[in-house]
Amino acid sequence: MSYARVAVEKTTFAFDALFTYEIPDELDVREGSRVIVPFGKGNRHRVGVVFALTDERPSGAVKSVISAADDGVLLNAEMLALAEYMRETTFCTYYDAVRTMLPPGLAVYINEKHSFNISRARLAIADGELSEAETELSAKAGKCTSEKELEELLTMPENAAAVKLLSEKGIVMLHESVKRRVGDETEKAVSLADELPADIKLSPKQSAVTDTLSEVGSATVKELCYLCGVSASVVKRLAEKGVVNIDEVEVSRSELAAAKVTEKLSDIVFSPLQQRTYDGLAKLMDTGEARCALLHGITGSGKTSVFIKLIEHCADMGKTAILLVPEIALTPQTVGKFRGLFGNKVAIIHSSLSLGKRADEYKRIRSGEARIVIGTRSAVFAPVENLGIIVIDEEGEHTYKSEMSPRYHARDIAKQRCFRHKALLLLASATPSFDSYYNAKEGRYALFEMNERYSKAVLPDVKMIDMRVEAERGNRGNFSSALLDELKLNLDKGEQSMLLLNRRGYHTYVNCVSCGTVAQCPNCSIPLTFHRVNNSLICHYCGHREPMPNACPKCGSRFLYSSGTGTQRIEDEIKQNFPEARVLRMDADTTMSKYSYEQRFAEFANHEYDIMVGTQMIAKGLDFGNVTLVGVLLIDNSLYARDYIGYERTFSLVTQVVGRSGRGEKKGRAFIQTFSPEHYVLDLAAKQDYKGFYEQESEVRRALIFPPFCDLCMTAFASQDESAAANAAVIFRDMLKEQADKAGSAMPMIILGPTDSGRINGSFRAKVIVKCRNCRSFRDMMRFVMKTAYKRREFSDVSFYVDINGEII
């Protein structure tokens, strides 16, 4: 093939395409490999990925591939097809799709470095060939004492014109090299030379090294120094004599590469219900066809054991498996179980791993060393071959939907992969997404239900606490008297408790009593949250931080009032009520460090804490046998959220966190504190009645035309100019209406908005929402409107994106 069709980095959506380049005879370019190509009018060198090879020469001038960016094929045909699928369904560029599938540590970039020929510059100055600006820059360059100082000088924007002229005269030269973001981890391996020098004399320490190598064959320098009690200089001297060879060898940074099997799969004993569920799912796997199944099981029903045995069955068939979890917080417990059962066949992928470790795990998977992949959303792109099953645990969680381009859903990618491999996609949850349960009820998915807890465990007793009654009794605190009594009882019995409050910080806002001014983020139209730990006001959207003021910045009054409750305040109140209690707080502020999830959950499991207070990260997937009490605080904030999935999110959160109680041999209890105890959502969540909730919520959504009875397409606009964002939204809506009128009944849709979305991170925002059917013709229409909008001057200072079935807030 003489030509390559290449996806090039840094292209905008409006101009994104596969660009054709000629392949020089000396280059070995293959589909899925990365290359360096000239791009644009200036022919700047950029990284690209080859999507296809062809003999067909395009019309017009054709540029040539400059070089290969790395060795071998990076993406196989399946990954290239997935990239095209994402571009078509999520409105991203080709290269954005590729970037998403690869670990960041394997990314390559073009490193540019300048050099300055001072001798040639002096000659040019003497001959009067340089302008005043060129002469002045040359003088400054001659005084630079380091490469870094020279690079900073030559890349200053104000020097760009002079640098260009000096480059044309051969005085400034640009050198490019392709570098990987993170290199391989290596160490020095020592082995005896094939032929030892004749009549060589060795010292006792040198002899100890050679004797050790004769026994073990090869060892690292560090190992030899430890085993033989010598310094590194002894080994170096042996290499100089030609007695040993020292080579750089790649080593894995993966913590699972050396994992050993410590548990037996045969120790997993099924209940009759688990066995029936497993048998049905295994039968689907054995059909050799692409299938999708939904496993709806109440909390504590033993779904994880079913996953494990299905993955074992998959491994026995010589196939690979992927298990997705929604939160990084869930990976330590899950990985711990699988590591003990499958050893180094397990790999883990999530964003808390270092770039190097993620890259090494990716290579372990691609080589076939690891055949079971566990991770969060991005693990769905793991480069496994011969895929047998993908399990998506807690599949209704919003974290499986990407909020950045490409705005894909892991479930959709999993469907594509399972279809290609003729594998089983298993969606599982105690609270499935409405879409999945609807598809199961319609017969599109096979439905399996587990409605009893494992090992005769029973669901916890749930009590609703009416906080209106507490207020009438004079209790203005965050804890009802009943919940405080139960916490005291658990402390006395040595049992553990969990408290859910889905809001971090101490107070949720601070305002001036005198003038009413609320402390707001300067970049966003939301109040700042007070964090007592560092006495700061923090924006949970953009990260802005400022010290807690002593007086109102507007009127100078020192009477400031703090209100609202976050996890930090709850932690303090528990310590005030129970000074002897050991309290663990789990939220985004306490889990920023590496291994914080694993360490803190392990400490709680070892009974080093009595009470865990946390946000939604503690609500799902965790299994602590000594937890017998769960408290749900201020759930009304979630119940009355402003989006259409507020009820669904609240039902899921309450159902799941209540299910953390009584998972061992002891009976569990749960207390839900609310100002709306009669609300049907809370009542059904307390009963763990998902079917009842689905039936009631379905009636509302069908009447109002919300998913799963339609798809929602949101176009979001952002600009630092408020009127520009609003105007762009109106123009975009009108363009949509024009296209809808042309399509008529062939493409039914309801266009809503535009609406003001406030100010976030310095930009004013607006949105237009379309109720539609997500099909190719609709996406083609949206793509046409988007590209038309990019050409209009009204959008020059406005950024916008389209998201189908994302969160509408």
Side-chain angles (χ1 to χ4, degrees):
M1 299 292 182
S2 303
Y3 300 93
R5 303 188 70 212
V6 180
V8 182
E9 65 173 340
K10 301 176 185 176
T11 57
T12 63
F13 174 83
F15 299 102
D16 184 52
L18 293 179
F19 300 92
T20 303
Y21 289 87
E22 188 173 5
I23 304 172
D25 293 338
E26 66 273 14
L27 292 184
D28 179 19
V29 174
R30 288 172 284 174
E31 291 181 355
S33 62
R34 287 188 290 205
V35 293
I36 306 299
V37 296
F39 190 77
K41 293 181 179 179
N43 285 325
R44 292 295 300 271
H45 294 183
R46 291 190 182 179
V47 179
V49 173
V50 178
F51 269 66
L53 300 176
T54 179
D55 278 329
E56 185 178 344
R57 179 184 174 88
S59 59
V62 181
K63 300 176 183 180
S64 294
V65 174
I66 295 171
S67 65
D70 45 19
D71 296 330
V73 175
L74 193 66
L75 298 173
N76 60 20
E78 179 190 7
M79 294 294 110
L80 293 176
L82 272 181
E84 300 218 34
Y85 168 79
M86 281 195 287
R87 180 180 182 271
E88 199 278 322
T89 56
T90 69
F91 308 99
C92 68
T93 65
Y94 282 108
Y95 204 86
D96 276 346
V98 169
R99 174 184 50 78
T100 301
M101 292 190 290
L102 294 175
L106 292 183
V108 295
Y109 64 96
I110 299 174
N111 183 52
E112 296 183 343
K113 184 178 178 181
H114 293 84
S115 64
F116 191 88
N117 191 324
I118 191 66
S119 299
R120 186 171 294 179
R122 287 170 180 167
L123 289 173
I125 292 172
D127 294 339
E129 297 177 0
L130 303 188
S131 65
E132 183 179 345
E134 292 172 273
T135 301
E136 183 181 348
L137 182 59
S138 297
K140 291 180 180 178
K143 295 178 181 179
C144 291
T145 58
S146 66
E147 291 182 355
K148 181 180 179 182
E149 186 181 355
L150 177 65
E151 192 67 27
E152 290 176 351
L153 174 69
L154 297 179
T155 53
M156 288 180 178
E158 59 266 30
N159 294 331
V163 168
K164 182 179 179 181
L165 293 171
L166 290 172
S167 298
E168 293 171 354
K169 295 178 174 70
I171 295 172
V172 171
M173 287 158 287
L174 178 64
H175 308 276
E176 292 182 337
S177 59
V178 180
K179 292 192 174 183
R180 209 173 83 190
R181 190 171 178 184
V182 175
D184 295 328
E185 185 82 0
T186 61
E187 62 183 11
K188 293 180 178 179
V190 185
S191 59
L192 288 172
D194 294 336
E195 296 183 7
L196 296 179
D199 301 327
I200 190 162
K201 294 182 179 180
L202 302 178
S203 68
K205 290 184 177 181
Q206 291 173 337
S207 296
V209 172
T210 57
D211 291 344
T212 300
L213 289 174
S214 297
E215 293 180 12
V216 302
S218 177
T220 67
V221 173
K222 288 183 179 180
E223 289 170 338
L224 287 173
C225 291
Y226 174 77
L227 293 172
C228 304
V230 300
S231 65
S233 61
V234 175
V235 181
K236 182 179 179 182
R237 182 62 182 149
L238 283 171
E240 292 172 351
K241 290 182 176 181
V243 177
V244 300
N245 298 321
I246 301 179
D247 301 302
E248 291 281 344
V249 296
E250 183 180 349
V251 293
S252 176
R253 286 162 285 209
S254 169
E255 296 174 359
L256 295 174
K260 304 292 184 182
V261 174
T262 58
E263 301 176 36
K264 295 180 180 179
L265 286 159
S266 57
D267 289 342
I268 298 176
V269 179
F270 277 163
S271 68
L273 178 57
Q274 283 177 312
Q275 188 65 54
R276 290 195 299 273
T277 303
Y278 167 80
D279 291 341
L281 290 167
K283 186 177 180 180
L284 288 181
M285 288 180 65
D286 294 340
T287 61
E289 297 295 330
R291 300 297 299 270
C292 184
L294 174 64
L295 173 54
H296 172 219
I298 63 171
T299 56
S301 58
K303 295 185 291 294
T304 302
S305 294
V306 175
F307 302 162
I308 291 170
K309 296 298 282 185
L310 286 171
I311 290 173
E312 179 193 18
H313 181 59
C314 181
D316 291 342
M317 297 166 65
K319 296 186 176 182
T320 55
I322 297 175
L323 169 61
L324 300 184
V325 294
E327 300 262 5
I328 295 173
L330 298 182
T331 54
Q333 281 198 340
T334 306
V335 171
K337 292 177 182 177
F338 278 81
R339 177 173 50 200
L341 292 166
F342 297 99
N344 64 358
K345 297 299 181 185
V346 176
I348 178 173
I349 296 178
H350 60 71
S351 58
S352 286
L353 292 179
S354 68
L355 297 181
K357 287 182 178 179
R358 288 178 70 181
D360 284 359
E361 289 287 63
Y362 186 90
K363 288 187 283 187
R364 287 182 64 229
I365 298 166
R366 189 169 59 182
S367 69
E369 176 188 338
R371 301 185 60 78
I372 301 169
V373 181
I374 300 172
T376 49
R377 182 179 63 228
S378 60
V380 76
F381 298 110
V384 294
E385 298 287 349
N386 197 21
L387 183 63
I389 187 173
I390 297 179
V391 180
I392 304 184
D393 194 17
E394 304 300 350
E395 64 88 28
E397 281 295 287
H398 72 278
T399 51
Y400 286 124
K401 179 73 163 66
S402 172
E403 296 178 352
M404 303 293 290
S405 181
R407 291 175 171 81
Y408 69 93
H409 197 294
R411 181 177 57 233
D412 297 331
I413 303 299
K415 285 180 181 179
Q416 293 295 311
R417 299 202 69 181
C418 288
F419 180 79
R420 186 181 185 94
H421 287 270
K422 292 182 170 51
L424 172 65
L425 172 57
L426 177 58
L427 311 173
S429 180
T431 53
S433 68
F434 255 64
D435 282 351
S436 295
Y437 201 74
Y438 175 78
N439 283 328
K441 298 294 284 185
E442 292 292 308
R444 298 187 184 101
Y445 301 164
L447 178 61
F448 296 83
E449 302 200 78
M450 297 171 63
N451 52 14
E452 62 185 42
R453 280 192 156 185
Y454 179 72
S455 191
K456 298 181 180 180
V458 295
L459 290 170
D461 293 329
V462 183
K463 184 175 182 180
M464 206 80 68
I465 305 296
D466 190 342
M467 295 304 287
R468 295 172 300 187
V469 175
E470 292 288 320
E472 290 171 359
R473 294 172 179 170
N475 181 1
R476 297 290 191 270
N478 290 302
F479 289 93
S480 63
S481 56
L483 183 54
L484 286 174
D485 290 343
E486 293 297 323
L487 287 168
K488 178 66 166 61
L489 178 63
N490 257 29
L491 287 170
D492 293 340
K493 294 166 63 177
E495 297 174 2
Q496 293 172 294
S497 307
M498 295 175 68
L499 299 174
L500 171 74
L501 173 62
N502 202 23
R503 179 183 288 170
R504 61 190 177 102
Y506 197 89
H507 290 299
T508 52
Y509 71 92
V510 176
N511 71 306
C512 174
V513 175
S514 300
C515 69
T517 299
V518 176
Q520 281 202 319
C521 174
N523 306 315
C524 310
S525 53
I526 62 168
L528 293 168
T529 300
F530 174 58
H531 287 244
R532 187 172 181 178
V533 174
N534 51 16
N535 198 39
S536 297
L537 296 173
I538 300 176
C539 175
H540 291 171
Y541 277 79
C542 71
H544 171 80
R545 183 188 301 254
E546 59 186 59
M548 176 70 178
N550 295 318
C552 175
K554 185 175 181 180
C555 72
S557 172
R558 301 183 67 85
F559 294 100
L560 302 179
Y561 176 74
S562 302
S563 185
T565 300
T567 49
Q568 291 180 14
R569 183 176 175 184
I570 294 299
E571 179 185 22
D572 277 2
E573 289 189 14
I574 294 171
K575 290 177 179 178
Q576 291 169 11
N577 283 286
F578 308 108
E580 75 284 4
R582 300 167 297 172
V583 183
L584 172 64
R585 177 162 57 89
M586 293 293 293
D587 56 31
D589 298 319
T590 63
T591 56
M592 289 186 286
S593 62
K594 191 181 294 185
Y595 307 122
S596 54
Y597 293 104
E598 188 171 1
Q599 178 183 342
R600 290 173 178 271
F601 284 142
E603 291 169 350
F604 190 77
N606 292 331
H607 303 173
E608 296 178 31
Y609 293 96
D610 303 306
I611 301 172
M612 181 190 295
V613 181
T615 54
Q616 63 180 7
M617 67 173 64
I618 72 168
K620 300 186 178 185
L622 300 174
D623 192 349
F624 301 110
N626 196 43
V627 171
T628 57
L629 173 64
V630 163
V632 181
L633 312 179
L634 299 175
I635 193 61
D636 304 85
N637 295 328
S638 173
L639 185 64
Y640 296 111
R642 56 183 179 173
D643 59 340
Y644 79 96
I645 60 172
Y647 284 2
E648 181 180 353
R649 189 185 296 114
T650 303
F651 178 87
S652 176
L653 193 62
V654 174
T655 301
Q656 292 280 1
V657 75
V658 165
R660 300 311 106 201
S661 179
R663 297 175 72 91
E665 298 178 356
K666 303 171 186 176
K667 176 74 172 178
R669 305 100 70 206
F671 288 74
I672 302 172
Q673 297 187 167
T674 175
F675 288 92
S676 306
E678 70 286 347
H679 202 290
Y680 80 92
V681 171
L682 299 180
D683 180 57
L684 292 170
K687 297 175 182 176
Q688 304 254 315
D689 185 2
Y690 178 84
K691 291 182 180 178
F693 172 70
Y694 174 82
E695 289 170 1
Q696 289 206 38
E697 185 71 1
S698 290
E699 292 179 8
V700 176
R701 295 198 187 184
R702 189 187 298 273
L704 298 178
I705 313 178
F706 276 108
F709 305 104
C710 74
D711 294 293
L712 289 182
C713 177
M714 179 185 72
T715 306
F717 306 85
S719 175
Q720 293 186 344
D721 183 340
E722 185 174 9
S723 61
N727 186 46
V730 170
I731 293 172
F732 196 91
R733 179 204 59 193
D734 292 343
M735 294 167 65
L736 280 177
K737 285 185 174 180
E738 181 181 349
Q739 294 301 313
D741 290 341
K742 288 180 181 179
S745 60
M747 196 186 300
M749 65 184 79
I750 301 173
I751 301 174
L752 306 175
T755 56
D756 179 12
S757 299
R759 187 166 176 250
I760 301 294
N761 204 13
S763 295
F764 294 94
R765 305 194 176 213
K767 63 176 179 278
V768 172
I769 297 172
V770 182
K771 294 181 178 181
C772 59
R773 186 168 68 88
N774 182 14
C775 59
R776 182 179 288 273
S777 57
F778 174 78
R779 294 191 298 270
D780 287 344
M781 183 206 72
M782 288 299 300
R783 189 171 287 105
F784 171 79
V785 173
M786 290 173 70
K787 290 191 174 184
T788 303
Y790 272 112
K791 299 174 183 178
R792 297 188 57 156
R793 59 180 178 81
E794 294 93 342
F795 290 79
S796 58
D797 295 324
V798 179
S799 62
F800 65 95
Y801 67 85
V802 171
D803 187 11
I804 297 182
N805 292 330
E807 288 205 332
I808 308 295
I809 56 174

